[in-house]
Amino acid sequence: MRTMFTMRLAAAIALMVAALQPAAAEDGYELWLRYRPLAGEAAQALAARVGTVETDERTDPTIAAAVAELERALPSMTGGAGSGGGAILIGTPNSPRIAALGLPLARVGEEGFVLRDVTANGRRMLVIAGNRPVGALYGAFHFLRLAQQGALPVRLDITERPRVKLRLLNHWDNLDRTVERGYSGQSIWDWWKLPTATDPRYVDYARANASLGINGAVLNNVNAKPDSLTPEWIAKAAKVADVLRPYGIRVYLSARWSAPVELKQTATADPLDPAVAAWWRAKADEIYRAIPDFGGFVVKANSEGQPGPQDYKRTHAEGANMLAAAVKPHGGIVMWRAFVYSEVDPDDRAKQAYSEFKPLDGRFADNVIVQVKNGAIDFQPREPFHPLFGAMPKTPLMLEVQITKEYLGFATHLAYLAPMWSEVLEADTYAKGRGSTVAKVVDGSLEGHRLTGMAGVANIGSDRNWSGSIFDQANWYAFGRLAWNPALTPQAIAGEWARQTFTPDPAFVTPVTAMMMGSRQAVVDYMTPMGLAHLMATGHHYGPGPWVGDLARPEWNPTYYHRADKDGIGFDRTRTGSNAVAQYAAPVAKRFADKRTVGDDFLLWFHHVGWDERQPSGRTLWEELVTRYDRGVASVEGMQRTWAGLAPLIDTERAAQIASFLVIQKEEAIWWRDASLAYFGSVSGRKLPAGVRPPAHDLPYYEAIRHPYAPGHH
Ligand code: GCW
């Protein structure tokens, strides 16, 4: 079937519709898929090139989705500029017209695409092609990404394929629609109304993800309930899967280890008990009947009170392999999380995942991938890369990052996280000598693994703007782009996002990307400078709590992490301390173990340092810390100034919300600085250097602050 689409008429209709909309339609709902009219020449050039959208495969739902996206976007972007008679042809080699073109599709794999200007039978056409429909869909979105930025080259000739196979969002969404560590309203999944009613948002969610190449969604919290595996809930998940499928997104579920026992169907959850294995096989069969392309399970086992195979004296590998066998006949996988630490293990928490998992290398089934957080503690504003990367060569490892900002100021602090993720991806593990980056572990190239993945803990909710703030949308965007290609630079991604989300005007884009690029370091500076970590208040992790030292589990206390006393501060992870450095390859261990080479980003992560020890700056450590806290606050003030200058260049609604959130961020940066200096000053007995502003209140004031209703804590 062929779609002939007349741009001129469609553009006229789009303009008429737009004229009827209220002016303040920019509430962030459209994300980076706004498709606003391009400026004069760019609009004409686009219109000349893409007059009609044609396909021979419109009956395919994925191709139909791609065509619909182009038909939605192009008339709007060309703003009524006349058609120059060009055409877009989209599809796969199933289309004889595409098969005849001799495109380099062999290079792009199952999900990649070719974008190329061709002349066929005397007609100029832009071809968007993939080996499979999803590749063509990704190609369409890539084309629109370039077009929206006003960045289309005169001749298009692009081939791309994703470097990572599983590009997943992990929703920590509960069945009652609350979201663990979610700061953007309720769960997007309206479980109560499913499966009978779906929400149009699900389609827009799928479009946004497909525009980035995200190809999977784990629908429920890793702190899972057994109920999510009952027929009732499988039907709900199946309905979501039906909506997401055309966009190349597979559904996965978090599985609670003890589900068969809690559902009263087995007497034990011992993975070596045949009845248990049989239950999971039957359960997998049942799920696959409802969701034929179900992706598989993610499991948080023997971690933070979750049940697991160790309850039966079995290993993580024995547990993972039993589940893996259940989904294997259907092509499913198991993502087994390495986020483990135990209250009865007196060893440094940062060492425990490595200690438990490294000995299991080579013991996992071939459809298991071990999911490792970027750092060894827990999504802190800055952590060194997790020592498991490079340490389990026989096991595929996927990287887990947190898009939602549990430890970086929730939704109201502006913190662009791509620099944090790239810092980890670029870190050199030295597992096989220089150049053995985490990215090469994650994309499988270091050890030749084909099962590869990146998971991001989603920041998506029911808020109109999806992510709680406009700038948090950039973190969703950046996660998807990095999962597609871990080598993309944070700077380039920020630029792409800003041009599409706001305006391609360089007067806006250049300063806003600079602001974004500095924003995560600002948070590090005012919360946890120089390698400090986990100083957040108890439970909800909102605001400072460095003084907390009375919680039941030692490693839940900020005092456990900073170890400040009258002489110094920092966690000695060298040979004289926990020796966590020894979990890294020798060159890395050597660098981290030496105060002179570790660098100030990780100084206090690996070393206990005297308050008066001189730093390379010539200042004492105490003075240096004070400088960092002040620098953090000053950075936020700088962001406010930048934003004041930029706001007039965009719509008032988003501009005002961003400005108001920066006010919150500034107040809280000051709160963090003042509370931290009040506390560390009292522990160290050191006075603030002359000219430094003292905290606004005394330490008991900060210690007394409570936030029983902070969002996201369940
Ligand atoms: O970051 C911590 C969070 C928990 C979370 C846990 C995990 C889902 O504080 O809320 O639980 O990590 O990753 O399992």
Side-chain angles (χ1 to χ4, degrees), residues 35-354:
Y35 307 133
R36 288 296 183 274
L38 295 172
E41 268 178 37
Q44 301 236 333
L46 184 65
R49 192 161 181 171
V50 297
T52 59
V53 181
E54 303 178 11
T55 183
D56 300 322
E57 298 160 81
R58 201 166 189 164
T59 51
D60 180 276
T62 301
I63 297 290
V67 170
E69 196 70 25
L70 292 166
E71 291 182 345
R72 167 201 288 251
L74 295 172
S76 161
M77 280 196 285
T78 52
S83 166
I88 292 182
L89 173 63
I90 183 165
T92 71
N94 281 340
S95 154
R97 288 196 286 166
I98 287 181
L101 290 171
L103 299 170
L105 283 164
R107 276 196 252 147
V108 304
E110 294 212 329
E111 293 180 296
F113 56 81
V114 177
L115 277 182
R116 184 180 274 189
D117 285 307
V118 300
T119 306
N121 301 327
R123 282 178 80 205
R124 274 188 56 205
M125 289 199 295
L126 166 64
V127 179
I128 304 178
N131 287 310
R132 292 202 298 130
V134 71
L137 177 67
Y138 292 158
F141 276 114
H142 192 73
F143 169 71
L144 292 173
R145 172 163 38 246
L146 297 175
Q148 279 206 91
Q149 296 181 70
L152 283 175
V154 182
R155 284 209 83 70
L156 264 174
D157 190 4
I158 295 175
T159 56
E160 283 217 16
R161 65 187 296 171
R163 270 181 55 190
V164 173
K165 187 169 171 181
L166 309 168
R167 305 177 299 278
L168 309 189
L169 291 179
N170 285 7
H171 290 269
W172 285 357
D173 294 18
N174 298 314
L175 308 188
D176 63 2
R177 229 185 152 181
T178 56
V179 180
E180 178 145 347
R181 315 307 181 183
Y183 313 107
S184 48
Q186 290 188 290
S187 170
I188 178 175
W189 314 125
D190 193 348
W191 294 116
W192 191 247
K193 301 193 188 87
L194 283 163
T196 314
T198 65
D199 188 318
R201 281 181 84 105
Y202 303 167
V203 174
D204 290 328
Y205 163 91
R207 290 174 49 235
N209 280 325
S211 78
L212 307 172
I214 288 172
N215 64 1
V218 182
L219 300 184
N220 61 320
N221 192 351
V222 289
N223 290 337
K225 295 275 190 228
D227 314 62
S228 61
L229 296 170
T230 59
E232 187 189 346
W233 288 86
I234 290 170
K236 294 171 192 280
K239 186 68 190 188
V240 175
D242 288 343
V243 179
L244 305 188
R245 186 170 297 114
Y247 296 88
I249 300 166
R250 283 181 167 204
V251 153
Y252 299 74
L253 291 174
S254 295
R256 180 163 167 91
W257 182 259
S258 52
V261 179
E262 284 165 67
L263 296 173
K264 303 202 179 348
Q265 298 182 3
T266 60
T268 167
D270 180 347
L272 301 193
D273 185 313
V276 174
W279 187 86
W280 282 104
R281 265 200 316 276
K283 187 50 72 180
D285 294 347
E286 179 189 346
I287 294 173
Y288 277 94
R289 276 195 298 277
I291 312 174
D293 56 352
F294 178 63
F297 295 119
V298 60
V299 185
K300 172 176 178 178
N302 294 116
S303 163
E304 299 190 325
Q306 297 297 315
Q310 292 180 338
D311 303 347
Y312 306 91
K313 307 222 172 344
R314 311 298 185 198
T315 67
H316 284 288
E318 287 168 320
N321 294 349
M322 182 276 286
L323 271 187
V327 292
K328 174 115 184 169
H330 306 282
I333 58 149
V334 168
M335 295 168 282
W336 196 267
R337 294 176 91 229
F339 176 66
V340 296
Y341 61 100
S342 156
E343 70 274 33
V344 292
D345 185 342
D347 205 1
D348 177 1
R349 171 173 166 188
K351 290 172 66 182
Q352 294 184 24
Y354 177 103

Side-chain angles (χ1 to χ4, degrees), residues 5 20 68 139 141 155 173 193 300 313 358 508 542 555 681 694 701 709:
F5 185 77
L20 299 173
F141 276 114
R155 284 209 83 70
D173 294 18
K193 301 193 188 87
K300 172 176 178 178
K313 307 222 172 344
K358 179 161 171 65
F508 180 86
Y542 190 62
E555 77 293 342
Y701 170 91
Y709 306 114

Side-chain angles (χ1 to χ4, degrees), residues 370-395:
V370 173
Q371 181 164 317
V372 182
K373 289 188 180 180
N374 56 277
I377 300 285
D378 189 11
F379 299 138
Q380 295 303 297
R382 176 172 274 127
E383 295 192 34
F385 71 91
H386 201 300
L388 276 174
F389 289 113
M392 294 183 68
K394 296 187 199 130
T395 310

Side-chain angles (χ1 to χ4, degrees), residues 379-590:
F379 299 138
Q380 295 303 297
R382 176 172 274 127
E383 295 192 34
F385 71 91
H386 201 300
L388 276 174
F389 289 113
M392 294 183 68
K394 296 187 199 130
T395 310
L397 300 185
M398 66 191 283
L399 171 65
E400 177 178 332
V401 299
Q402 197 178 43
I403 307 171
T404 189
K405 304 206 312 300
E406 174 181 359
Y407 295 101
L408 289 102
F410 294 12
T412 41
H413 292 210
L414 197 165
Y416 174 54
L417 301 181
M420 166 155 95
W421 302 330
S422 286
E423 196 172 286
V424 169
L425 287 163
E426 283 166 16
D428 198 340
T429 70
Y430 278 84
K432 290 176 116 182
R434 185 190 289 276
S436 308
T437 58
V438 172
K440 286 189 189 164
V441 176
V442 170
D443 74 13
S445 59
L446 194 67
E447 303 292 348
H449 291 302
R450 297 185 53 185
L451 183 55
T452 61
M454 267 173 71
V457 179
N459 65 354
I460 295 158
S462 62
D463 275 8
R464 222 9 232 173
N465 68 19
W466 302 86
S467 301
S469 81
I470 302 299
F471 276 92
D472 280 332
Q473 298 176 353
N475 293 325
W476 177 7
Y477 184 92
F479 168 76
R481 296 290 286 142
L482 281 173
W484 179 273
N485 181 2
L488 291 176
T489 69
Q491 169 98 27
I493 296 171
E496 283 180 6
W497 174 80
R499 283 183 212 103
Q500 297 171 87
T501 302
F502 296 109
T503 162
D505 181 355
F508 180 86
V509 174
T510 306
V512 94
T513 49
M515 176 175 91
M516 290 166 75
M517 289 300 293
S519 59
R520 176 273 193 139
Q521 182 63 42
V523 177
V524 170
D525 284 343
Y526 62 71
M527 286 190 187
T528 50
M530 300 188 82
L532 291 174
H534 223 303
L535 307 185
M536 293 75 190
T538 304
H540 47 66
H541 298 152
Y542 190 62
W547 44 81
V548 175
D550 59 356
L551 304 177
R553 287 177 64 155
E555 77 293 342
W556 282 353
N557 290 302
T559 53
Y560 171 95
Y561 296 96
H562 64 65
R563 314 228 151 176
D565 56 25
K566 65 178 187 358
D567 301 318
I569 181 170
F571 198 127
D572 183 1
R573 294 193 162 103
T574 69
R575 245 183 322 172
T576 51
S578 78
N579 206 22
V581 290
Q583 294 182 336
Y584 291 96
V588 183
K590 192 162 168 250

